[in-house]
Structures are given as structure tokens and as C-alpha cells.
Amino acid sequence: MEPINFKVPILIIFIALFSIKIEGQSLFKDIKLDEIVNFNEKKADSILDTVINEEEKAKIYSIFFRFFYKKKKINIAIKYLKQEIKILDNQKKNSYYQHLILQLGYLYLRKNDLLKAERFLVIASKASYSKKRKGQALCLLGKCFFLRGDYNKSFNYYHKGINILKIHGKPTSIITYSLDIAKNSYFTEDKNHLKNTINFLKFSDALLKRYRNSLKNQKLATRINLNLANAHSQKIMESFDKANFYYKKALKEAKKINNNNLITSIIRNQGQHYLTHQKDSAFYFLNKSLNYCNQIDGLELIKANAYLNLSEFFYKKKNYLKALKNSYLAFDFFYTSNNKKFSEIYPEVLHQNNNRKNSSLITYKFNLKALIALIEKSSKLKEKYIDDAIVSIQNFDNLISVILDNDTNSESQFRWRKDASEIYNYAAYIYYLKKDYKSSFRYLEKNKAFLLAQNIDNDNINRELPKAILDKDKQYKKKILDLEYKITNKETKTVKDSLFDFRFSYQQFKDSIRTVFPKYFQLKSKTDLISLQEVQQNLDDDTVVVSYSIQNNNEENFIDTSIGLCISKNNILPFTLNSYTIKNEIQTFTKFIAKPLNNKNEIKQYNTVANSLYNSLFPTDEIKDLIQNKKVVIIPDDNLQNIPFEAFVTDTTSNRFLIENTDISYAYSMSFLNVNNNISRTSEKEFAGFAPVEFENKKLTTLQHSAEEINSINNNLNGITLTGENVTKDSFLTNASNAKIIHLATHANVSRKPVIHFSKDSLNLHELYTYKNNADLVVLSACETNVGELKRGEGILNLARGFFYSGSKSVVSSLWKVNDVATTELMTDFYTNLKDHQSKSEALNNAKRKYLKNHSLSQKSPYYWASFILIGDTNPTFESNYTIHYIIAISTLFLFFFIFLKKEGNKSKQDEHKGVNNKF
């Protein structure tokens, strides 16, 4: 080994102990690093080779770690920090050990290695030696999830961490993380998050007032006021004047310290504020911010956002060329610092920066809106604009795929789906104009229940894990969902803290599974969308699929991009829709279907609007001819999910309903149908029926005919029925899991938290997410079980969806409050038809036809018979025995044929034997 020019003690004197700057808190001491000449990793390792004592070695690792960190050689710094931690692993843990783990997590965060960062930050946050370190670790975990785009989870970690630091931390830490949580809260679009953010910022401002004389603290004060302005500027806060007050205050302070970067940022944000509230002054502020940007280097992101805001401004002013030009400028400046232009966007780069990522999504929206407007206006350049739009769509598709793949929080995923939904609608329309119906169908599918299909697909893969792990996973989910359900604006701090702790532990549990079963996570790949070609191949000659895409836009100058595709085995019929007309027709239609039609005038009004809606949604004679006497699968969108198509009137002369010559069923999407139908299900009993009849909740009326309903059904089936006080949540969960058919004849009520009522208790929607069934069919013979909260791009969160999540192959659910007597009649006939080997669709539609045939006048109102709809698989629940009969018949024929051949063979032998005897 070559001799070193200085001894270890001299090095230790030169390198005084110092700490890493962790997000605003510096513990470094001044040292003279320049006096250590040509010191590198090789020399450091040579020194360590001479040291035997572990305690001394740990101190030297610490020195080298800090030295190389100061030199910005992060990988080498991590190497020595890990060696120090390894030695201390075998000793008694203390606050210093927690500090080292925190530093390691922070360094991995600096490297953008989020998985490793989270691993060590979780350990640091769980240690109880130092409350301050715990708070810092939680906040850094918040930053990890912010970088992932998981904003709700990020907010929760920041919130917990800052509250700890308010008691145990230093002012600089509290201020730094309060500014961080402010960025996060703009993305969650949650009023409570914004209120909490404002409180943290005001607390930080009060801390700063003691030290505002320093330049650094004046800059922090300016940033606090800018973020207070941005928080109040959010539309949900309804605080236009307060936002203006803080923008002016921030601008005054920025000019006082002559910080041009902050001045430019404040003016740009002020421009966005006026744009959000539809003020023409936005143009002045945005142009002013661009003038500042042109005088200062390194403000590409501010410039990009200014161009994005101008794109929105010009679109609203109907200057579509300028809107388009500014959207392209926004893209260019988003990636100038990475030497990438609009045509060279890589989703992996986008994922590293949340400002670019979110702003890019909005830019795509206005880029496509401007292009569509120009397509509608221009004939000469129409094809060029369509091709330009397709380039934007493909880039957007790559970006949103990366975002969704890296976001694990369900609420965040719903938010991304909502943002993507509008662009998917544009994409389906653009490809419709291009006459590329395969691609148009692909985006129709992307825009419907894709997260549900993915969850069911992944849940099916989960079954490969050991039972003990699955049980523990279920326990975690159940507890978290229960706590989430309890959370309200007035909820106690204890419940919120419990929810945070359980989420935290669940994350650790999932990380441990990832380590022990890496192959399992490789299996959880993207759920495949079914192609248009596959759909057509799978259709029989009598089935037609009609998929809709409805634009939900209230802008004055919006261009309607609503379309539909009517698909048969050998034909594709595309069509456009008038969403404004349809929306108005649905409002009138729903008023009539939810009540009996009591006189001729009401019947006439109903027939008129039901026929008008029929013509709007099946807009050509060719489509109407194609669906006649067919099995039609409707894939609805937006508010079409709340109406029964079978109640449409096909002509106002005969007043015939669509159901009279067409079988109607519904699907969330063809991709969901494909995924869900491929799951293997086994059941131990044919039927499990539940009818509480009476309820302890006095607000719920007695359902006198419900017990009769399920007992009548069970007479033809081999199952169990529970009635009266025997029907509780526990008895349902115990007896329903292995039934082929589950039937609930009870009350349900809808809100943002749908619920099914039993005799003494109830089952909430969130509880279905941890319950599993193997049902071929679930019948929810209760009120409004198909009604719930609409999530754009995903569908309605209702009880029907909950049962699909828990394993059902198909669900019959209701659209409004049903009539008890009519329901019993319908359900009895429905099950008779099912047992007669009819398909589920035929069974329900035939039951409705029979009802119409046997009733007249007001009793024929759709209110009585149209509420129940079939969603999902339409195949027979009870397969026909014809196949078995054929097998027996063919087997018998073969047996007779074999006996005949054997007899003929024996006869030939006897004849041959006689012939031989005759010769002699």
C-alpha cells in the first residue's frame, strides 16, 4: 500500500464535524476543505484499510461522507454514510442513528431514487428518539409522494410532519415545508387542504416577523405572501379580493429586495389569477411577465406557464391561431432547459417535474381545443390540423400513462382520470374525423371504467400470494376504508391521526411484499384494452354494441366533440351527437320516468321526449335498422348512465317502446367486460336471498312483499333465504360469498356514500371493496342502487360498481325508487326465465315485456318496469342441458354401432369356421 502524505488525526483536525443541510435547516460548521489537496475516494479507502477499531472507523466514515457530500459527489457520500450506518446497526439505536438514516433518505431523494428514499425515510419517521427528525422525515416523505404525483398522500405526510415541527422543530424547517405543502394543495383541489395551507403559511409569516430584517428572510416573506395569494386565488376558495391583496403585498416586498425572479413569478401568477376569474387584465400581466422573462436568463418555466395562460386567454377570445401558437411556445419553453422541443417530449422527463407535468396536461387541452376549432373553421388546412392533433394526442397518451403507472392513491388516480377524460373525448373525435375508427374506439374505451378493470385484474393476480399475506392486506384495507368513511370536516384529530398511521403501516407492508415477492409485482402489469377487431370477432350475428362519448362542457364557445360508434360483427357506423340537446332531453325524460304517468297529457309528453331522445342517441335510419330485433349492449357515458334506453319510444304513432323488439343490456366498457368475464368463479349454492322486511331504522318503510319475492324465487332454485331480523350485515357477508346468485330485496339510499340497509344495521359502499363474492349474478332489488357520484373518465361510484369490484360477473340494479308490488312480479318472472336457460339479458327483457303485456294505462308507465337494468355479462346463468343430451345420444349411437360391429365380427368368424369344416 502506498504511504499517505498525512495522518488520520491531521485529517480529522482539518475536517470539523458538520451536518447536511436538510430542506432549510443547516447544521454545517465552517471548515477549510481547500487545504486538503487532491483527496479522493481511493485515498479515503486507503486510510480506512489501516483502521481496525470499529468505533474509530465509524467516525472516519462520517468524516468522509460529509467531505464528499460537500464536494457534491453524492454517490461516494452515500457509500460512506451506509458504511457508518452498518457499523451502528449492531449498537444501541439513538437520535444520532435516526439522524443518519434521515440523511441517507434525503440523499436518495436528491438522486431522485424515490423507492430507496422512501424506505429510509419511513425508518427515520418511525423512530422515536427525536421528534424533530421524525417531523423532517415525514415532510421529506411528503416530498417523495409529491414527486410521484400522489398529492393527497403527499399532503397527509406534510401535514403530520409540519404539526410535529411546530412544537419540536426550528422556524426555518416550518417555513420551508409550509411553502412545500402550499404547492401540493393547489393540485389536490380540496378546500380543507387549502384552508390548512393558509393556516401554515400565516403561522410561518408570524415566525418570520421576528427576523425579517435579513435579506434571506425578506425573500421567504415574499414567497409566503405569493403562496397565500395563490391559495386564495383558487376558484373553490371564492377569495378574489384577498388574493389581490397578497399579490400586491408580495410584489411590493419583491421590488424592495430587487429580486427579479420573484417579481416575474408574482406578475405571471397575478395574470393567471385574473384569467381564472375571466378578467381581461390577465393579458396585461401575462405580457408584462414575458417582458421580464426576456431580460433574465433561466426563467423558462415561468415563460412556459405565461404562454400557456395566453393560450387559454386567446382561446376564450376565439382567436384560435394565437391560442395554438402560444400552446406550442409553452411546450418549447417547458423543455428548453432539457434541450428538448415539443416534438421530442419524453414522458420519463416529464415525470421528474410536477410543474411541467401538470402544466403540460393543461397545455395539451388548449392545444387540442384550438386545433379542433381550426379544423371546424378551415377547409384547406383541415387535414394538417388533424395530423397535428394526432401528434399531440400520442404525446399526451404517453404522459398520462406514466402518471397513472406511478400514482398509487385512488383519489389522485380519479383526479388524473378526470383531467384525462376531456382529452380522451377530443382524441375519439379527432380519430373519428380521420375515419380511423379503431383508434377512436380505443379512446372511447380508455375513457370508461379503466381503473375498475385494472383493479379487478390486479386483484385476480393477488390470489397468487400466500393466504396469510392476503388476509393481512385485507385487514389493512378494511381499517383504512372504515377510517376514511368516518372522516368529516368536524372529525376529531384522533381519527385523522389513526388514519395516517394505518396508511403509513400499510405502505410499509406493501413495500415488504415488493421485496419478498418481486415477481408478483412484475405480473401486475397494465390491463390491456380490447381492440375493435377483437370486439367484432367476439360478437355473434345478433349482437350490436353502441358506445358513447359525451362532452361535458359549459363554455360559451365550446365545439361539441360528442360521438358514438355502433358496432356489429360486420359493420361500424360512426355518428356525432348534440350534447346540449341530449342534456336538456334527459332532464325532461328523468322527470317522467321516476313517477307513474297518470293522464293522457303526461303520457303524450313522455312519448314525445322519449322519442326525441331515441332519435338523438340513434341518429340515423341505418343505425335504427341495425339494432332492430337485436341484442344491444349500451356503453353509456356521463349522464347517459342514469337512464334506461329500453324505455325510449321508437315512434309517436304506435308509441312502442324500444324494448318491445330489442334486448337491452349495459356495460361499463368492452375492456372491463373482457377482463371481468375471464375471471374464474366457483359457487357452492345456486341462490342466496335476503329480505329484512322490517327495519329498526324507523325512517325506512316496511317492504311487505319482499319476503314473498325471495321465497317465490327460491322455490325454483337450490339455495337459502334469510328474512326478517335474521338479515344482518354479518349474515349477509357469511352466506353470500359462495352463492351463484345473490339477491337483495331491501332498502338502499344514495349519496356520496351509498348504503344497503339490513334489519338492524347496514353495509356501506366502501365495505364492498374488502368483501369477496363469486357470484355470476347479483340482483339489487332496492331503490337507486345504480345511482351515485359521477367520476369523469371512470363512471358512477355506486353499489353496482361495488359489487363488481367484489367479484360479481353481472349486476341487476335500479335507477330510481322502485314499486314494491311491480318489483315482485318482475323478479319472479325474471328468475323463471333464468331457470328456463334464457340468457340474463333475455330473461330480464322478457320479464319486462310480459309486464307490459299484462298491464295497461298508467300501470304501463316506465316507472313500474324500466328501473332495473342489467350490467355486465349477458350469458345464461344456468346452462342448457341440451349439450349433455347430445353427448348421451351420440354415446348411445356409438355403443350400438360397436355392438353391431362386434356381432358382425363374430358372425364372420362362425361362417369362416363352417367353411373350413365343409372342406374336410
Side-chain angles (χ1 to χ4, degrees):
M1 182 186 299
E2 293 182 3
I4 305 298
N5 293 329
F6 48 83
K7 295 180 181 179
V8 172
I10 298 174
L11 181 63
I12 294 172
I13 291 170
F14 274 167
I15 308 177
L17 290 176
F18 58 97
S19 301
I20 295 180
K21 182 181 180 183
I22 299 183
E23 295 294 306
Q25 184 177 3
S26 178
L27 300 177
F28 277 99
K29 306 256 182 178
D30 291 333
I31 61 169
K32 299 178 180 179
L33 293 174
D34 293 338
E35 295 182 25
I36 306 171
V37 182
N38 296 325
F39 189 71
N40 55 33
E41 183 182 7
K42 185 177 179 181
K43 289 182 178 179
D45 287 340
S46 298
I47 293 171
L48 287 162
D49 287 340
T50 66
V51 181
I52 298 173
N53 183 278
E54 289 285 281
E55 187 176 341
E56 188 177 349
K57 208 168 194 175
K59 291 178 181 178
I60 297 169
Y61 280 134
S62 178
I63 293 166
F64 290 163
F65 146 62
R66 295 180 171 103
F67 173 81
F68 286 109
Y69 174 80
K70 193 74 172 178
K71 290 290 185 181
K72 297 182 179 179
K73 295 182 178 179
I74 302 297
N75 288 332
I76 303 174
I78 287 174
K79 169 186 168 181
Y80 292 121
L81 179 56
K82 287 174 77 174
Q83 292 296 333
E84 182 183 5
I85 290 170
K86 187 176 180 181
I87 291 173
L88 297 181
D89 274 337
N90 299 319
Q91 300 177 16
K92 186 178 179 180
K93 308 296 188 297
N94 53 29
S95 61
Y96 178 68
Y97 179 83
Q98 183 184 10
H99 175 61
L100 295 182
I101 296 293
L102 174 64
Q103 288 177 324
L104 186 56
Y106 171 70
L107 289 181
Y108 278 122
L109 180 56
R110 283 277 305 270
K111 280 168 56 67
N112 209 45
D113 189 340
L114 299 183
L115 279 176
K116 288 182 180 176
E118 287 164 22
R119 177 187 164 196
F120 290 104
L121 291 171
V122 164
I123 296 170
S125 66
K126 280 293 184 183
S128 56
Y129 311 111
S130 166
K131 292 285 188 182
K132 180 177 75 173
R133 302 300 180 204
K134 182 183 181 74
Q136 288 177 321
L138 288 167
C139 288
L140 290 176
L141 279 166
K143 187 162 190 174
C144 287
F145 288 109
F146 178 78
L147 291 172
R148 285 187 183 281
D150 198 339
Y151 301 121
N152 283 295
K153 189 177 287 186
S154 172
F155 183 90
N156 291 332
Y157 279 102
Y158 272 125
H159 188 272
K160 182 86 170 176
I162 295 170
N163 278 325
I164 291 172
L165 291 173
K166 282 170 74 173
I167 301 170
H168 302 283
K170 291 190 175 181
T172 47
S173 291
I174 298 166
I175 293 166
T176 299
Y177 293 127
S178 294
L179 290 168
D180 281 349
I181 200 174
K183 296 176 194 172
N184 190 86
S185 64
Y186 307 144
F187 296 125
T188 61
E189 298 176 353
D190 185 300
K191 193 168 185 176
N192 287 322
H193 286 185
L194 286 165
K195 285 180 177 179
N196 278 303
T197 293
I198 289 168
N199 289 335
F200 283 138
L201 290 169
K202 286 182 175 179
F203 184 85
S204 298
D205 192 48
L207 287 175
L208 266 183
K209 282 181 179 176
R210 293 177 243 172
Y211 313 104
R212 193 161 285 190
N213 291 333
S214 74
L215 185 64
K216 179 181 176 182
N217 288 337
Q218 285 178 321
K219 183 179 176 181
L220 282 173
T222 306
R223 290 178 62 200
I224 288 170
N225 282 307
L226 171 57
N227 278 280
L228 280 167
N230 288 340
H232 283 292
S233 178
Q234 305 301 308
K235 258 193 170 180
I236 197 171
M237 295 301 293
E238 300 175 349
S239 303
F240 179 81
D241 292 334
K242 278 189 180 179
N244 272 343
F245 168 77
Y246 283 113
Y247 280 126
K248 288 174 183 176
K249 190 174 180 182
L251 187 60
K252 183 179 179 181
E253 290 177 335
K255 286 180 177 178
K256 187 177 177 182
I257 60 176
N258 199 29
N259 189 313
N260 288 325
N261 286 17
L262 272 174
I263 291 169
T264 309
S265 181
I266 293 163
I267 294 170
R268 205 283 305 169
N269 277 278
Q270 199 167 5
Q272 183 174 337
H273 168 60
Y274 280 106
L275 180 64
T276 300
H277 293 83
Q278 299 182 347
K279 307 288 185 183
D280 286 345
S281 304
F283 183 72
Y284 165 78
F285 286 104
L286 294 171
N287 269 324
K288 189 174 180 181
S289 71
L290 284 173
N291 289 335
Y292 270 98
C293 285
N294 291 330
Q295 299 169 31
I296 307 167
D297 292 331
L299 299 182
E300 285 81 9
L301 191 57
I302 296 175
K303 190 180 284 190
N305 278 302
Y307 281 122
L308 165 57
N309 295 146
L310 284 170
S311 178
E312 181 179 352
F313 176 84
F314 284 118
Y315 178 80
K316 289 178 177 178
K317 294 294 181 183
K318 299 185 182 181
N319 191 334
Y320 301 123
L321 275 173
K322 283 191 175 181
L324 182 64
K325 178 184 175 183
N326 279 280
S327 71
Y328 283 126
L329 285 168
F331 278 122
D332 286 344
F333 284 102
F334 276 131
Y335 301 101
T336 299
S337 58
N338 295 321
N339 297 315
K340 298 194 183 299
K341 296 291 184 179
F342 174 71
S343 60
E344 302 170 311
I345 295 171
Y346 291 94
E348 291 79 4
V349 176
L350 286 167
H351 183 62
Q352 305 305 317
N353 188 302
N354 278 292
N355 288 329
R356 286 191 173 94
K357 181 173 63 179
N358 285 277
S359 296
S360 292
L361 291 179
I362 301 169
T363 307
Y364 279 119
K365 183 170 78 170
F366 284 102
N367 175 268
L368 286 168
K369 287 169 79 166
L371 282 165
I372 289 169
L374 290 167
I375 288 166
E376 298 297 320
K377 288 180 64 177
S378 172
S379 56
K380 292 182 180 179
L381 296 175
K382 182 175 181 177
E383 290 303 317
K384 178 191 178 299
Y385 289 137
I386 288 174
D387 291 339
D388 288 347
I390 287 172
V391 171
S392 291
I393 289 163
Q394 290 169 345
N395 284 328
F396 166 80
D397 209 10
N398 290 332
L399 169 61
I400 199 68
S401 295
V402 169
I403 292 171
L404 288 171
D405 286 348
N406 287 276
D407 194 337
T408 59
N409 181 277
S410 60
E411 278 303 313
S412 297
Q413 286 191 324
F414 279 130
R415 189 178 66 81
W416 290 122
R417 294 285 296 169
K418 177 186 174 185
D419 291 342
S421 176
E422 187 175 348
I423 298 178
Y424 285 151
N425 172 271
Y426 297 151
Y429 179 71
I430 291 292
Y431 280 109
Y432 159 81
L433 295 177
K434 189 75 174 174
K435 297 184 178 179
D436 180 354
Y437 304 129
K438 291 179 182 178
S439 297
S440 187
F441 176 77
R442 178 170 173 265
Y443 284 100
L444 290 177
E445 287 289 292
K446 272 180 172 282
N447 210 15
K448 296 182 178 76
F450 191 66
L451 291 179
L452 178 61
Q454 207 165 43
N455 286 333
I456 289 172
D457 205 12
N458 286 335
D459 197 52
N460 198 36
I461 296 169
N462 282 357
R463 298 180 186 185
E464 303 298 321
L465 289 169
K467 185 178 182 301
I469 290 176
L470 292 176
D471 288 343
K472 191 169 184 180
D473 184 74
K474 180 180 176 180
Q475 289 169 9
Y476 269 120
K477 285 180 180 176
K478 187 176 187 306
K479 189 65 180 178
I480 289 168
L481 288 165
D482 285 342
L483 289 168
E484 284 178 340
Y485 182 78
K486 292 178 182 177
I487 291 292
T488 64
N489 295 342
K490 298 178 181 179
E491 194 54 69
T492 62
K493 183 177 181 296
T494 306
V495 175
K496 291 183 178 179
D497 285 348
S498 296
L499 176 60
F500 179 87
D501 290 339
F502 270 101
R503 281 175 173 165
F504 199 96
S505 299
Y506 185 44
Q507 185 65 44
Q508 285 183 286
F509 171 70
K510 288 194 292 186
D511 289 343
S512 68
I513 297 174
R514 189 185 295 273
T515 304
V516 179
F517 300 99
K519 290 183 180 179
Y520 156 75
F521 279 91
Q522 292 168 11
L523 287 172
K524 294 182 79 169
S525 58
K526 296 178 184 177
T527 300
D528 292 328
L529 289 167
I530 194 169
S531 69
L532 180 58
Q533 183 181 8
E534 288 173 305
V535 170
Q536 289 188 289
Q537 286 173 350
N538 294 336
L539 290 178
D540 58 42
D541 292 333
D542 293 325
T543 303
V544 175
V545 174
V546 188
S547 183
Y548 294 93
S549 175
I550 303 293
Q551 185 185 11
N552 189 355
N553 199 322
N554 296 319
E555 293 177 359
E556 288 183 15
N557 60 324
F558 90 98
I559 295 167
D560 202 340
T561 55
S562 303
I563 66 159
L565 290 178
C566 185
I567 305 158
S568 67
K569 190 171 186 66
N570 301 308
N571 208 352
I572 301 166
L573 301 178
F575 54 92
T576 57
L577 298 159
N578 186 320
S579 63
Y580 180 78
T581 300
I582 290 168
K583 182 179 179 181
N584 290 332
E585 288 170 345
I586 288 174
Q587 286 178 348
T588 307
F589 181 73
T590 51
K591 289 178 184 177
F592 284 109
I593 57 174
K595 64 175 186 176
L597 304 174
N598 291 317
N599 55 60
K600 287 183 179 180
N601 186 46
E602 284 186 349
I603 293 171
K604 184 179 178 180
Q605 286 180 306
Y606 172 80
N607 289 340
T608 301
V609 71
N611 178 249
S612 180
L613 200 48
Y614 168 71
N615 289 321
S616 294
L617 292 169
F618 302 102
T620 69
D621 290 339
E622 193 175 6
I623 293 170
K624 289 169 184 169
D625 290 341
L626 185 61
I627 66 171
Q628 288 296 312
N629 302 308
K630 293 290 197 308
K631 296 174 287 186
V632 179
V633 180
I634 301 294
I635 305 175
D637 188 30
D638 200 57
N639 51 5
L640 295 183
Q641 296 169 87
N642 291 321
I643 60 172
F645 280 55
E646 46 266 71
F648 292 166
V649 172
T650 56
D651 72 84
T652 51
T653 304
S654 65
N655 293 330
R656 287 173 63 86
F657 293 111
L658 179 59
I659 193 176
E660 294 185 58
N661 56 13
T662 307
D663 280 348
I664 302 288
S665 68
Y666 301 82
Y668 293 141
S669 74
M670 295 307 289
S671 298
F672 168 77
L673 205 58
N674 184 53
V675 167
N676 199 41
N677 285 0
N678 285 331
I679 293 172
S680 175
R681 296 172 176 85
T682 56
S683 53
E684 295 175 0
K685 49 183 173 281
E686 281 190 352
F687 180 78
F690 305 87
V693 185
E694 295 181 342
F695 304 85
E696 283 190 3
N697 184 343
K698 299 305 179 185
K699 293 180 181 179
L700 302 173
T701 59
T702 299
L703 297 174
Q704 294 178 350
H705 298 275
S706 58
E708 175 192 340
E709 179 183 323
I710 65 163
N711 287 324
S712 175
I713 293 164
N714 197 44
N715 287 337
N716 295 320
L717 299 173
N718 180 27
I720 63 160
T721 60
L722 293 177
T723 59
E725 63 181 15
N726 293 323
V727 184
T728 63
K729 179 166 69 174
D730 285 342
S731 68
F732 167 75
L733 295 175
T734 302
N735 290 284
S737 58
N738 288 311
K740 191 168 192 175
I741 299 173
I742 300 169
H743 186 104
L744 283 154
T746 183
H747 279 297
N749 72 295
V750 295
S751 60
R752 293 194 69 218
K753 297 174 179 178
V755 61
I756 297 172
H757 294 289
F758 298 116
S759 60
K760 301 173 184 176
D761 49 18
S762 57
L763 180 75
N764 296 298
L765 173 60
H766 75 273
E767 293 177 282
L768 289 172
Y769 297 146
T770 53
Y771 148 76
K772 292 300 167 192
N773 70 66
N774 289 283
D776 180 75
L777 173 65
V778 171
V779 178
L780 301 175
S781 182
C783 300
E784 302 176 306
T785 48
N786 202 56
V787 180
E789 181 186 3
L790 175 64
K791 293 282 189 180
R792 289 287 299 168
E794 204 39 41
I796 295 175
L797 304 190
N798 53 27
L799 293 167
R801 183 185 173 106
F803 274 99
F804 275 117
Y805 191 98
S806 64
S808 308
K809 195 172 185 180
S810 54
V811 175
V812 170
S813 60
S814 59
L815 294 166
W816 57 82
K817 292 181 179 179
V818 294
N819 177 273
D820 192 15
V821 178
T823 296
T824 299
E825 184 178 340
L826 273 172
M827 288 300 160
T828 301
D829 288 333
F830 169 57
Y831 280 101
T832 300
N833 296 338
L834 270 184
K835 194 64 178 175
D836 197 31
H837 312 300
Q838 292 183 23
S839 73
K840 290 188 272 288
S841 179
E842 289 171 332
L844 184 59
N845 283 279
N846 285 335
K848 291 177 179 179
R849 291 185 193 110
K850 183 178 177 181
Y851 180 91
L852 285 170
K853 185 179 179 180
N854 293 339
H855 294 81
S856 60
L857 301 176
S858 178
Q859 287 187 334
K860 290 186 72 170
S861 302
Y863 162 75
Y864 291 106
W865 58 267
S867 177
F868 290 104
I869 61 171
L870 172 69
I871 309 168
D873 175 65
T874 62
N875 289 312
T877 296
F878 302 105
E879 293 293 340
S880 171
N881 293 325
Y882 295 150
T883 305
I884 297 172
H885 294 155
Y886 285 139
I887 292 170
I888 293 170
I890 291 169
S891 299
T892 304
L893 284 172
F894 271 114
L895 181 62
F896 280 124
F897 185 64
F898 176 76
I899 293 169
F900 172 77
L901 288 177
K902 190 171 182 181
K903 284 184 176 180
E904 286 297 312
N906 290 338
K907 185 178 179 182
S908 297
K909 287 180 181 180
Q910 288 173 2
D911 290 343
E912 186 180 333
H913 183 68
K914 287 179 181 178
V916 171
N917 289 338
N918 290 335
K919 285 182 182 180
F920 295 96

